[in-house]
Amino acid sequence: MSRRLHIEVFRYNPLDPNSQPHMQSFYVNEYDSMTLFIALNIIRDEQDPTLQFDFCCRAGICGSCGMVINGRPSLACHTQTRDLPDHIVLHPLPVFKLIGDLSVDTGTWFRDAGSRIEAWVHNDHEKFDAKAEEARMENDLANDIFELDRCIECGCCVSACGTARMRDDFLGATSIARIARFYLDPRDERNEENYYQVIGNDQGVFGCMGLLGCEDVCPKHIPLQDQLGIMRRMLAIHSVKGILPKRILEKLQHKGCCHESH
Amino acid sequence: MQIIYSDLLCIGAGLAGERVAVEAAKAGFNVTCLSIVPPRRSHSSAAQGGMQAALGNAIMGEGDSPDIHFADTVKGSDWGCDQEVARIFADTAPIVMREVAHWGVPWNRVEAGVHTYYKGGKPFEAEEKREKHGLIHARAFGGTAKWRTCYTADGTGRSVLNTLDSMCLRYEVGIHDRTQAEALIHDGENCLGAIVRCLKTGELKAYLATATLIATGGYGRIYRATTNAVICDGGGQIAALDTGLVPMGNMEAIQFHPTGTVPTDILVTEGCRGDGGTLLDVNEYRFMPDYEPEKAELASRDVVSRRMQEHIRKGLGVKSPYGDHLWLDIRHLGEKHITTKLREVYDICTNFLGVNPIHDLIPVRPTQHYSMGGIRTNKDGAAYGLKGLFSAGESACWDMHGFNRLGGNSLAETVVAGRYVGKKIVEFLQGHTVDFKQSAINDAHTKVAARIMEMTKRSSKQESAIQLRDEMHSTMMDNVGIFRNGKDLQAAVDKLDELIDRAKNIKLQGTAIGFNPEISLALRIPGMLKLAQCTAYGALMRTESRGAHTREDFPERNDKEWLNRTLAYWKDGETRPELKYEEASPYFEIPPGERGYGGGKIITADIPEEKLRVPNKGADKKKAKQTKKAS
Ligand SMILES: Cc1cc2nc3c(=O)[nH]c(=O)nc-3n(C[C@H](O)[C@H](O)[C@H](O)COP(=O)(O)OP(=O)(O)OC[C@H]3O[C@@H](n4cnc5c(N)ncnc54)[C@H](O)[C@@H]3O)c2cc1C
Ligand code: SF4
Ligand code: SF4
Ligand code: FES
């Protein structure tokens, strides 16, 4: 079984005026249950200590290690080499600013998106009463909100998105799912008009071309398309309220995938 | 050199750092958080199981109260904790869970009606009450008398961290990610901030602040097999220890978690056992009830880890190329439970182990997991030795965990301490101004810059940081593990002496302009060796067994001589810390006694009468009565 892996890595140090983007080959002996996390660390420990890449939890939970693996954005720590051919090609995620080699700046991107959509529960935080019982919530609703809170901000979906590559102000499916999280949350007191202002435009839901790249690559299997569909429909309804007859509005309002219309 | 001012500098943006930041920002102070990674990647995000608070909503938690939570925590600590702090903790935890619920945490909620739960692999039915419907639910965890662990499926850390991070956005806390604190700036009396390295450009910067908080999490990476993230390298503790003024508390108290997976050392949550999972040996026999008839798999972590190791030593482990292990069985919980409430476990097993936990057993063994020790603080979170320096979360020895922390008590600690210490910092900031002495800034900066310069230039006597790290790993794994003894510990201390000496000659192998990842490790290794030495030497000197610290040559818990906390100071140029000791607790609301699990003998101490009273307890009540009357 033991294969010799040929790992080709994108190299570029933007801080070094003499550095040119290029591919560099490394070779490592594969062993049982080897992941790309292990392989890249062996390369850095034994062959090139200057190689830049990001890992943190190494357990598929923190979202640090998104990269393009043989053409597809995924998490390097939970990619087993045995699932790949013996020639592995690694690129940094596009869209995000390159820090060096395989490392990109997702932190700045997500923080910026977070402030644009004001990603926090909008309510009066001072109203919290330390002595009172907590406000009740249905467990199913809590689970639905958690489902969208599971995003690890790895950036894979953004990197796979045609719109995000074309326009750098596109909020991406992840931000729209995040808005949906607050839309679902009864503790958030924003109304539809507020949401409309934030994502009812080409940087938001209407910029999405519905190519599904995002959901395909999401390592957490977050139902991004459903959320895009729900938000788009909610906003569409909001913008035509008062114009369309109620009957048609109601018809529009049922949940479902945005691709029905494509 | 760029200089950045804030009222409060939080080194670390995990749950503890962000909770403190929110408290100070809400009070109107200017706050900056540093983090090696974007905040939501902090290790807190990896916590799956949940956090303890005595809400008592779940039927299996009925009748729970902060008093019972307090008692569990003290027993869990093997009476090594500060009971004043444990009391603050248990009393505040329910408030904090409700507070984060108000801010957006989607806690799992009680659903009225009959549900099937599991205990020790056996199903049973329990009816959740109608009047509790919709309140925060809880699950079982080890070492607790009641079901008390609040959770969001198995992504508790993730969802609470997301919520706190969103509060940081809301209150405009400055987040500087990919920045790593390298040294504290201080004038021998006051802490003035930190020298920080930018992990995008390699540049050194000075962050000045009236108050500085260290909330950098654990330092599990001194061990090879650890559940900790690769960034858990003790940077904050090292910066504090290096001042020579701030001591580390109880560094020998290291927790091993029973269910690290083999071979990758990724944790599967205690929630597995809490929800009814069992441990099996090579014959697929459930052995824990033989050792711990009462609590079985749900005894506290130190006990379960020891029993597992004991069982493996009897030759009943499963042989594998990665060493012997045992099995965790959650198959009986069924597909629905595993793919919803334990989905992260399901993903970890299928992605990393090639094991499907719905049908297969999960290979597990005890793995380094948590550091009870850390920067010694008083009950307000203020570090010993320097004014204006605080610490909270896993990096601190606030000391509600003593020698063994209970599962679910650490996440809860981060937010409880975050809130409590946050308020104390606000008080401090309100009454304090500092003089940012240029000389102190220059000293700290020169020290870091000179170290980097030397590592790049050095020509003779070269050491590789990677080699030193690997030797440290072997030493800690082989000699400072679950079972300890004088001979092995002495060997570890001697070896670490040597490594600390050799670390003076680290030389970088590669060169790269700007940020160079090799420098990160090279800068960290000497400090990690010191933390390792504090652990090994502290363990060698502590000639008793308490909580997670188990000496085969001193099996008794010796309250007569060791009902105390180790303080480790590090003087510049030494290869060993100087150890001092202080009383474990100012008083004993619960006098030292049996834990009710784990066996073991106790050498009892005569505790003076006045230490068995809670000061002001009656007085407080009286005062409350009086104010009530008055109003
Ligand atoms: C796999 C796993 C599962 C767990 N599950 C549970 C559980 O279910 N329940 C429970 O109670 N506990 C659990 N724990 C323990 C608990 O998660 C941690 O103790 C807790 O999250 C620590 O939080 P923290 O805020 O102190 O530190 P962390 O979340 O580790 O944050 C540390 C922060 O400091 C930053 N940092 C570190 N060094 C530096 C530096 N030099 N300069 C600048 N920034 C720095 C990091 O970037 C990060 O932002 C678990 C632990 C692990 C490892
Ligand atoms: S469906 Fe929309 S958001 Fe998703 S990848 Fe396509 S264009 Fe981008
Ligand atoms: S939605 Fe999925 S792919 Fe996108 S950032 Fe979140 S976890 Fe990653
Ligand atoms: S390192 Fe955390 S997801 Fe890969």
Side-chain angles (χ1 to χ4, degrees), chain A residues 13 45 54 56 58 61 63 77-78 80 104 119 125 134-137 139 149-150 153 181 187 220, chain B residues 41 57 98 101 104-105 109 131 133-134 136 158 162 166 170 178 226 230 343-344 351 469 513:
Chain A
N13 179 355
D45 279 3
D54 297 317
C56 181
R58 53 86 177 88
I61 309 177
C77 72
H78 92 22
Q80 303 256 350
V104 296
H125 292 160
E134 63 270 23
R136 290 174 195 246
M137 184 185 268
N139 195 46
D149 244 356
R150 286 173 46 250
E153 304 196 346
R181 179 241 177 271
R187 292 166 292 202
K220 292 280 137 186
Chain B
R41 307 220 153 127
N57 296 325
R98 292 178 174 135
V105 172
R109 303 294 179 137
E131 69 260 28
H133 185 81
I136 299 170
R158 161 68 53 210
N162 282 2
S166 74
R170 184 194 152 155
R178 290 182 185 265
T226 170
V230 296
R343 177 160 56 182
E344 216 60 72
N351 285 324
R469 177 199 65 194
I513 293 171

Side-chain angles (χ1 to χ4, degrees), chain B residues 210-270:
Chain B
T210 310
T212 303
L213 170 86
I214 297 181
T216 50
Y219 54 95
R221 286 279 152 185
I222 61 171
Y223 285 84
R224 188 189 310 111
T226 170
T227 61
N228 286 194
V230 296
I231 60 166
C232 297
D233 57 12
Q237 291 90 330
I238 295 167
L241 190 62
D242 273 346
T243 62
L245 302 166
V246 181
M248 299 295 120
N250 278 350
M251 293 293 277
E252 61 271 37
I254 296 275
Q255 179 170 80
F256 288 76
H257 195 292
T259 57
T261 57
V262 182
T264 40
D265 305 313
I266 296 170
L267 180 82
V268 293
T269 173
E270 182 159 331

Side-chain angles (χ1 to χ4, degrees), chain B residues 6-252:
Chain B
S6 337
D7 295 320
L8 170 63
L9 175 67
C10 292
I11 306 176
L15 280 176
E18 289 206 323
R19 183 63 190 81
V20 169
V22 167
E23 199 61 36
K26 267 173 43 168
F29 290 103
N30 169 294
V31 185
T32 307
C33 281
L34 309 178
S35 176
I36 299 177
V37 290
R40 290 181 187 214
R41 307 220 153 127
S42 300
H43 202 46
S44 293
S45 71
Q48 302 155 6
M51 46 220 282
Q52 287 203 42
L55 290 164
N57 296 325
I59 188 69
M60 299 298 290
E62 204 174 33
D64 200 9
S65 70
D67 288 346
I68 306 178
H69 188 185
F70 169 76
D72 283 345
T73 302
V74 172
K75 274 185 216 162
S77 82
D78 219 352
W79 277 272
C81 74
D82 181 329
Q83 296 200 7
E84 193 178 10
V85 170
R87 178 44 85 182
I88 295 171
F89 164 72
D91 286 352
T92 320
I95 298 172
V96 173
M97 298 313 135
R98 292 178 174 135
E99 185 176 58
V100 295
H102 186 65
W103 295 346
V105 172
W107 293 120
N108 276 53
R109 303 294 179 137
V110 175
E111 290 178 285
V114 178
H115 296 267
T116 304
Y117 297 116
Y118 286 84
K119 197 172 179 190
K122 296 213 174 58
F124 68 94
E125 288 194 339
E127 183 171 1
E128 298 293 349
K129 291 196 167 148
R130 180 130 302 274
E131 69 260 28
K132 299 286 184 186
H133 185 81
L135 297 178
I136 299 170
H137 200 20
R139 57 163 48 134
F141 251 47
T144 66
K146 302 272 178 189
W147 289 24
R148 179 188 304 131
T149 308
C150 312
Y151 64 100
T152 52
D154 63 355
T156 310
R158 161 68 53 210
S159 69
V160 181
L161 188 59
N162 282 2
T163 297
L164 284 181
D165 193 44
S166 74
M167 290 293 283
C168 285
L169 259 184
R170 184 194 152 155
Y171 286 102
E172 295 176 358
V173 170
I175 299 281
H176 297 207
D177 68 4
R178 290 182 185 265
T179 55
Q180 186 155 9
E182 298 295 350
L184 292 180
I185 303 169
H186 69 93
D187 59 10
E189 213 170 292
N190 305 288
C191 182
L192 306 171
I195 298 292
V196 160
R197 200 163 50 95
C198 171
L199 302 183
K200 294 177 197 168
T201 62
E203 212 184 322
L204 293 183
K205 302 179 184 177
Y207 280 71
L208 300 182
T210 310
T212 303
L213 170 86
I214 297 181
T216 50
Y219 54 95
R221 286 279 152 185
I222 61 171
Y223 285 84
R224 188 189 310 111
T226 170
T227 61
N228 286 194
V230 296
I231 60 166
C232 297
D233 57 12
Q237 291 90 330
I238 295 167
L241 190 62
D242 273 346
T243 62
L245 302 166
V246 181
M248 299 295 120
N250 278 350
M251 293 293 277
E252 61 271 37

Side-chain angles (χ1 to χ4, degrees), chain A residues 74-136:
Chain A
S74 10
L75 298 179
C77 72
H78 92 22
T79 301
Q80 303 256 350
T81 56
R82 67 161 173 252
D83 297 332
L84 297 171
D86 57 11
H87 183 200
I88 300 168
V89 185
L90 304 177
H91 285 97
L93 292 180
V95 180
F96 303 100
K97 185 163 178 256
L98 182 75
I99 290 175
D101 302 338
L102 297 173
S103 174
V104 296
D105 187 356
T106 49
T108 306
W109 192 96
F110 277 97
R111 205 127 204 110
D112 174 58
S115 17
R116 280 164 66 199
I117 62 174
E118 302 192 359
W120 56 84
V121 166
H122 288 238
N123 63 6
D124 184 354
H125 292 160
E126 301 309 323
K127 259 197 194 144
F128 173 70
D129 177 355
K131 296 203 183 67
E133 198 172 77
E134 63 270 23
R136 290 174 195 246

Side-chain angles (χ1 to χ4, degrees), chain A residues 110 150-157 174 217-220 222 224:
Chain A
F110 277 97
R150 286 173 46 250
C151 169
I152 54 175
E153 304 196 346
C154 61
C156 289
C157 58
T174 164
V217 298
C218 175
K220 292 280 137 186
I222 295 182
L224 294 170

Side-chain angles (χ1 to χ4, degrees), chain B residues 390-410:
Chain B
F390 297 81
S391 183
E394 191 172 342
S395 61
C397 177
W398 190 35
D399 217 4
M400 47 165 283
H401 302 303
F403 278 75
N404 173 65
R405 90 152 158 100
L406 295 182
N409 257 2
S410 167

